[in-house]
Amino acid sequence: MSVRVRFAPSPTGQVHIGNIRAAIFNWLFARHHGGKFLLRIEDTDRERSTPEAVQGVLDAMAWLGLSTDEAPVYQSSMRAAHVAAAEDLVRRGAAYREDKGGTGKGEAILFRMPAEDVEFQDDVKGQLKKAAKDVKDFVIVRSDGSPVFHLGNVVDDIQMGVTHVIRGDDHVENTFRHVALYRALGATVPKFAHLPMIVNAQGKPYSKRDGAAYVGDFREKGFLPEALFNYLALLGWSPGDEREVLTVDEMVAAFTLERVHPSPAQVDQAKLMWMNGEHLRRRPLGERVAGCKADLQANGIWRDGMDEAYLARVVDAMAERVKLYTDMSVQAGFFFNDDFAYDPKLVEKRLRKPVDMEAGLGALHAAWAALPEFSEAALEESLKALAVARGANPAEFIHASRVAVSGMGVGPGLYVMLVVLGRERVLARLGRAKNLCARTDAAAPGSAGGNG
RNA sequence: GCGCCCAUCGUCUAUCGGUUAGGACACGUGGUUUUCAUCCACGUAAGCGGGGUUCGACUCCCCGUGGGCGCGCCA
């Protein structure tokens, strides 16, 4: 029997990471077994289902690479089959009409739960059993003629030939009802596997209040799809060895339901961030450059006509410092913008006190302007010689130079950074920074007032 | 209230009766960089409690405790 699984979201809003993780597990399972991965849009809630939400599901899946093998099934189009199934159950005495609760709304169709206990094998949780008395009859078609979730879900899964129902833990209780429905409908009961929930630090279902909760949130924050995919796959599943950063192919090869952990898991943003960095550095330079460029463009830092080769050198210099493409604008904006802002605290600490660097920066400017070759080695040698000659610690000059050319205290190694920036920019920035040195508020009495 | 499920470092997890309980993130320390970060090394840190079963339990069973889910003419 070839495997057929499905992802069956309700398009009623943004796609939650818990839902998309269910999709990921289904997809991985299908690919591992060479089966089919299907999509069913459960859009029967006309009040809340919107075309935008449907598109949102499709976009999220496409972004993560969750390819489907057949055209999506829209549950709303299956209504006739649902009602027919219910009528059939009534004819055979497995269901009955009743004005449940005497609402006066008319008669609904209720499924008659069998008198015997219900049992099923869950591929994650093991053998599950429920006493007959604990499962009540339930409505399958409302008095207005519309089918209820349980009925539609089961009828559609039968119709779509679903062999394994892999879904969230919150459906375990429903499964007892569903199993009874399959039997009453004369269908083969599929295998079930219930995935643990994603919870917050308090153990409650993870929601928007706990931080990024939707696929779109992570995408906007700059996370890579392969990183989110990998991270989510590892929430409740592990390959069995000590690998953590995995390619999709590796996950497909290793995925089994037996290795799914039954207890709930918390999202650890820090680890996701780390994982994103791991996946980022695995992307070829060309792709990283394109990603960084997009972020710089989005923030108005990159303008058409700028030097692409220069961008590539910057990205290379930033290398492992960047964990998200969106780090570029904040961490490397100064490479592209000559009018970058100086961190006031660093100006104070590195350019004014304890040592006024005005003369020092002037000396560096002169020395570097005269350097025959603007290379890392030459720059380093020159800086150190100059510092020593002036009776200073090279570290002072290093820090001062960094602040002078970038305005920041963190960044690539100083000499690499200088070379990438190039002589022209460096000299201009040194000149500009000189004007920030101790001549105003930080100046000693008597030496203030210089304006040259 | 009743029913079902879950329970290993702060977090994600390995372990399927015998291990100094392993790895990763985070954290700490040290080294490298006369520079922040990176990187490297090392380190701190766990079997919810109580009973059993067994020569031997994190692992199996029971009772608690804690948490989650369900008990809709929502999905």
Side-chain angles (χ1 to χ4, degrees):
Chain A
M1 175 179 67
S2 92
V3 164
R4 289 172 69 84
V5 295
R6 65 9 179 224
F7 172 46
S10 302
T12 55
Q14 298 213 59
V15 188
H16 191 273
I17 50 170
N19 286 114
I20 208 68
R21 189 187 56 149
I24 289 173
F25 280 44
N26 272 285
W27 187 89
L28 248 15
F29 184 78
R31 293 291 169 266
H32 178 84
H33 288 100
K36 304 288 189 195
F37 173 69
L38 317 175
L39 172 65
R40 179 172 71 241
I41 304 287
E42 303 213 332
D43 59 346
T44 53
D45 187 338
R46 303 314 263 172
E47 299 294 308
R48 297 192 293 157
S49 298
T50 66
E52 293 73 32
V54 171
Q55 193 54 47
V57 169
L58 265 18
D59 289 346
M61 291 176 71
W63 184 62
L64 287 164
L66 297 172
S67 51
T68 53
D69 298 305
E70 290 177 11
V73 171
Y74 287 82
Q75 189 161 58
S76 55
S77 71
M78 304 288 289
R79 178 168 170 154
H82 301 161
V83 175
E87 297 289 357
D88 184 47
L89 289 173
V90 172
R91 264 194 301 282
R92 293 192 285 121
Y96 57 96
R97 293 175 200 279
E98 182 185 295
D99 180 2
K100 190 186 173 212
T103 60
K105 284 190 287 189
E107 291 190 321
I109 298 178
L110 280 81
F111 178 70
R112 194 191 308 282
M113 277 301 291
E116 58 268 22
D117 298 350
V118 197
E119 232 173 314
F120 69 93
Q121 172 70 26
D122 188 296
D123 282 344
V124 171
K125 308 171 90 72
Q127 190 72 14
L128 265 25
K129 187 179 176 181
K130 195 94 169 174
K133 67 175 173 60
D134 293 321
V135 192
K136 295 183 288 189
D137 292 358
F138 56 98
V139 172
I140 52 178
V141 177
R142 300 184 188 86
S143 51
D144 67 2
S146 62
V148 164
F149 162 74
H150 303 293
L151 212 219
N153 192 269
V154 169
V155 170
D156 290 348
D157 280 343
I158 293 170
Q159 202 278 328
M160 291 168 78
V162 170
T163 58
H164 299 254
V165 174
I166 303 169
R167 67 206 332 186
D169 224 349
D170 49 341
H171 283 294
V172 184
E173 300 291 327
N174 292 332
T175 306
F176 294 104
R177 297 199 235 285
H178 295 183
V179 167
L181 267 177
Y182 277 101
R183 295 204 173 114
L185 257 10
T188 304
V189 181
K191 298 260 197 174
F192 290 94
H194 290 94
L195 276 14
M197 309 296 284
I198 294 178
V199 299
N200 63 20
Q202 286 72 240
K204 308 280 185 196
Y206 187 89
S207 76
K208 187 66 190 165
R209 300 183 52 234
D210 303 305
Y214 303 125
V215 176
D217 295 339
F218 292 96
R219 189 174 180 176
E220 278 168 28
K221 283 189 171 191
F223 285 100
L224 260 24
E226 64 265 38
L228 185 63
F229 188 113
N230 190 168
Y231 182 76
L232 256 18
L234 253 37
L235 227 43
W237 172 79
S238 68
D241 47 38
E242 286 174 347
R243 289 177 298 165
E244 300 222 76
V245 180
L246 301 160
T247 64
V248 168
D249 287 342
E250 288 170 333
M251 288 184 266
V252 166
F255 190 83
T256 61
L257 289 173
E258 294 78 68
R259 294 210 58 84
V260 174
H261 194 83
S263 59
Q266 291 181 32
V267 174
D268 182 348
Q269 304 275 354
K271 186 155 186 176
L272 205 210
M273 187 67 83
W274 164 79
M275 187 162 276
N276 201 73
E278 292 298 310
H279 280 281
L280 193 55
R281 72 182 58 173
R282 281 167 172 73
R283 302 247 279 218
L285 181 63
E287 275 183 38
R288 293 210 307 276
V289 169
C292 290
K293 181 176 165 185
D295 175 63
L296 292 167
Q297 278 173 325
N299 286 282
I301 292 169
W302 179 271
R303 291 178 299 281
D304 289 343
M306 288 179 118
D307 186 350
E308 301 269 351
Y310 175 64
L311 171 64
R313 287 197 297 276
V314 171
V315 171
D316 194 42
M318 291 300 289
E320 305 190 342
R321 224 164 303 268
V322 174
K323 286 204 160 45
L324 289 175
Y325 284 141
T326 48
D327 287 342
M328 278 301 282
S329 299
V330 293
Q331 290 182 19
F334 68 84
F335 275 107
F336 307 95
N337 174 18
D338 290 323
D339 196 29
F340 61 88
Y342 286 91
D343 179 332
K345 282 187 185 139
L346 288 169
V347 168
E348 195 62 30
K349 185 177 176 188
R350 301 301 188 191
L351 301 182
R352 296 179 175 179
K353 287 189 285 193
V355 192
D356 180 356
M357 289 299 298
E358 183 175 6
L361 290 182
L364 280 176
H365 187 288
W368 291 353
L371 226 43
E373 191 186 328
F374 205 72
S375 67
E376 283 180 49
L379 252 5
E380 180 168 1
E381 189 187 348
S382 152
L383 181 144
K384 287 179 179 171
L386 217 142
V388 170
R390 300 180 64 87
N393 189 321
E396 286 169 26
F397 275 61
I398 289 173
H399 284 124
S401 312
R402 177 184 291 287
V403 172
V405 304
S406 75
M408 303 170 68
V410 298
L414 176 66
Y415 307 112
V416 180
M417 187 162 85
L418 293 173
V419 170
V420 170
L421 278 166
R423 193 193 309 249
E424 194 184 334
R425 282 193 191 83
V426 169
L427 295 181
R429 292 175 183 200
L430 248 23
R432 179 183 167 201
K434 246 170 48 160
N435 297 325
L436 296 171
C437 294
R439 291 172 303 136
T440 53
D441 54 314
S447 69
N451 57 7

